Amino acid sequence: MDSFEIKSRAAAIAPVIRMAYSAEGKAYVSFAAECKCKEAVKDAEAAAEAVRNGAKCVCVEGVGTFTVTDAQGGGALSGKIAIVTGSAQGFGAGIAEFLASKGAYVAVVDMNADGARAEAEKIMSEHGTRAIAVSANVTDEDSVKAMIDETVCAFGGLDIFVNNAGIVRAGSLEEMTKTNFELVTSVDYTAFFICTKYATVPMKLQRSISPDYMADIIEINSKSGLEGSNKNFAYAGAKFGGIGLTQSFAMELAPYGIKCNAVCPGNFLDGPLWSDPEKGLFVQYLKAGKVPGAKTVADVRAAYEAKVPLGRGCRVEDVTRAIQYIIDQKYETGQALPVTGGQTMLN
Ligand SMILES: NC(=O)c1ccc[n+]([C@@H]2O[C@H](COP(=O)([O-])OP(=O)(O)OC[C@H]3O[C@@H](n4cnc5c(N)ncnc54)[C@H](O)[C@@H]3O)[C@@H](O)[C@H]2O)c1
């Protein structure tokens, strides 16, 4: 068995042990691919039984050792395990920091491996919560499966999956290439399906041990998932599709206690996508003359702020407040929550 197979087998055992130890999931289970105990048990069921009888360290034959730790520290999310995709920067980094600040263990996932590592280290130094960096491409099925297995082997389960990784390739019908259209579709739409397919595996396992247990799939969508976006149809189309997936996943996953909701932020004008001094949208729009009469980046920014009834861009804390609500609210699923300062209003 190679290390991927071992982790895959371990990922099917750790959540069972975790819920056997604490029905609310108030525990972490770490895994090592070596047998560290005197005696090994045969399977997940026997391991769960050993833990119910007080063992804090269990070895499963041919797989390795599972070590149980009580959830420590305070915070509303103490004992929770979260993944945030695309969290090396931008909204994702802010969301990962927020979840850690509330006590959750967090996997910082990004295809930018160095950025993910730096963000995980920042979280550990600022919040004293354990974080891991996972390098993954959310459009690649094997990579996504490995990301889930790695997280579950590090912490013992999965309670909150935030589908945040996203890209923009704007352009008119004349400008847009099929290659770019398909790239946006794969990251902003297809990856949400791939990630949900694998993220729900440990969540369902946890529910099978603990019938009242609930988990969250949260898609970071966009106001462009609620109304069209001029010369940005590849993005808007993928985000509209994300709402369709959110609603359909919500129906399919409700019997397993897994809620699925979307947050639809307005423009994150302080974030790197807009404010990067070289590649940011402010600079691009200024050069392209998209805002009539704008002579500086500040003029472009003012024009975008003026579109928002509450007069400013969306911030990380606006999005994390919505995430907090979604997690706290146990009686809502399949919803798309606008966080747009009133720029987009639901009917
Ligand atoms: N920035 C905005 O104004 C805005 C507004 C509404 C919604 N959103 C949504 O919020 C989310 C985050 O946006 P942001 O502005 O923070 O983006 P960002 O560009 O700052 O960060 C996105 C991160 O995703 C990572 N990523 C991209 N493709 C990936 C892949 N295939 N696999 C793994 N990681 C990948 C990038 O490396 C990057 O770290 C996106 O889904 C976006 O559509 C953004």
Side-chain angles (χ1 to χ4, degrees):
M1 254 196 298
D2 64 23
S3 70
F4 283 107
E5 267 182 82
I6 289 182
K7 280 197 175 165
S8 175
R9 283 192 65 193
I13 297 171
V16 175
I17 294 178
R18 177 169 173 248
M19 302 314 273
Y21 184 78
S22 159
E24 294 121 52
K26 289 262 176 202
Y28 300 106
V29 178
S30 60
F31 170 72
E34 54 187 307
C35 194
K36 293 180 180 170
C37 311
K38 277 190 202 142
E39 282 176 36
V41 298
K42 279 207 159 18
D43 52 23
E45 220 171 280
E49 193 52 31
V51 164
R52 278 194 199 96
N53 290 333
K56 286 216 164 187
C57 190
V58 190
C59 187
V60 178
E61 266 174 30
V63 186
T65 307
F66 299 83
T67 307
V68 185
T69 317
D70 288 311
Q72 280 155 5
L77 298 179
S78 171
K80 297 287 177 194
I81 298 163
I83 289 179
V84 185
T85 65
S87 50
Q89 65 170 48
F91 274 144
I95 294 165
E97 287 167 28
F98 166 77
L99 296 173
S101 76
K102 297 287 171 190
Y105 275 17
V106 183
V108 176
V109 171
D110 209 290
M111 63 194 300
N112 171 2
D114 290 342
R117 210 171 304 119
E119 182 56 35
E121 279 163 16
K122 181 174 179 231
I123 288 175
M124 292 219 273
S125 68
E126 287 179 6
H127 302 293
T129 315
R130 230 178 111 204
I132 55 165
V134 181
S135 167
N137 179 349
V138 292
T139 66
D140 179 302
E141 190 166 2
D142 288 341
S143 182
V144 167
K145 186 175 182 315
M147 148 189 110
I148 300 293
D149 289 347
E150 198 167 330
T151 304
V152 173
C153 286
F155 300 139
L158 183 60
D159 306 301
I160 301 162
F161 179 80
V162 184
N163 190 87
N164 168 81
I167 58 168
V168 183
R169 295 289 184 276
S172 65
L173 284 165
E174 290 82 15
E175 292 156 343
M176 181 63 69
T177 60
K178 186 162 174 274
T179 305
N180 271 349
F181 184 86
E182 287 177 348
L183 176 67
V184 172
T185 306
S186 72
V187 181
D188 294 354
Y189 177 66
T190 312
F192 181 31
F193 147 64
I194 300 173
C195 289
T196 303
K197 180 178 174 75
Y198 290 100
T200 49
V201 173
M203 290 174 175
K204 286 176 181 172
L205 211 49
Q206 288 160 182
R207 174 79 168 192
S208 73
I209 308 296
S210 232
D212 294 330
Y213 165 84
M214 294 188 87
D216 280 281
I217 303 283
I218 301 171
E219 193 214 6
I220 305 305
N221 198 283
S222 170
K223 71 177 169 51
S224 302
L226 301 172
E227 60 182 24
S229 184
N230 190 17
K231 297 181 182 169
N232 194 17
F233 54 82
Y235 182 74
K239 293 292 186 181
F240 264 69
I243 305 287
L245 295 181
T246 297
Q247 293 185 2
S248 307
F249 292 155
M251 290 171 180
E252 182 175 332
L253 296 170
Y256 301 97
I258 304 169
K259 295 176 283 152
C260 183
N261 292 287
V263 177
C264 300
N267 295 327
F268 180 22
L269 301 181
D270 294 328
L273 180 77
W274 286 84
S275 291
D276 186 283
E278 281 160 30
K279 297 180 292 178
L281 293 178
F282 288 138
V283 178
Q284 285 184 44
Y285 291 172
L286 182 65
K287 283 184 189 155
K290 192 168 163 166
V291 176
K295 293 194 171 51
T296 63
V297 159
D299 293 340
V300 180
R301 185 184 177 110
Y304 276 86
E305 284 172 346
K307 294 176 194 232
V308 185
L310 288 173
R312 64 169 173 82
C314 186
R315 296 177 186 147
V316 167
E317 60 267 30
D318 301 314
V319 172
T320 56
R321 270 185 211 112
I323 289 176
Q324 179 75 67
Y325 165 74
I326 284 171
I327 295 170
D328 285 348
Q329 175 59 269
K330 303 297 180 213
Y331 190 57
E332 203 53 271
T333 192
Q335 303 302 332
L337 197 59
V339 184
T340 66
Q343 195 176 354
T344 306
M345 297 182 187
L346 297 180
N347 295 320

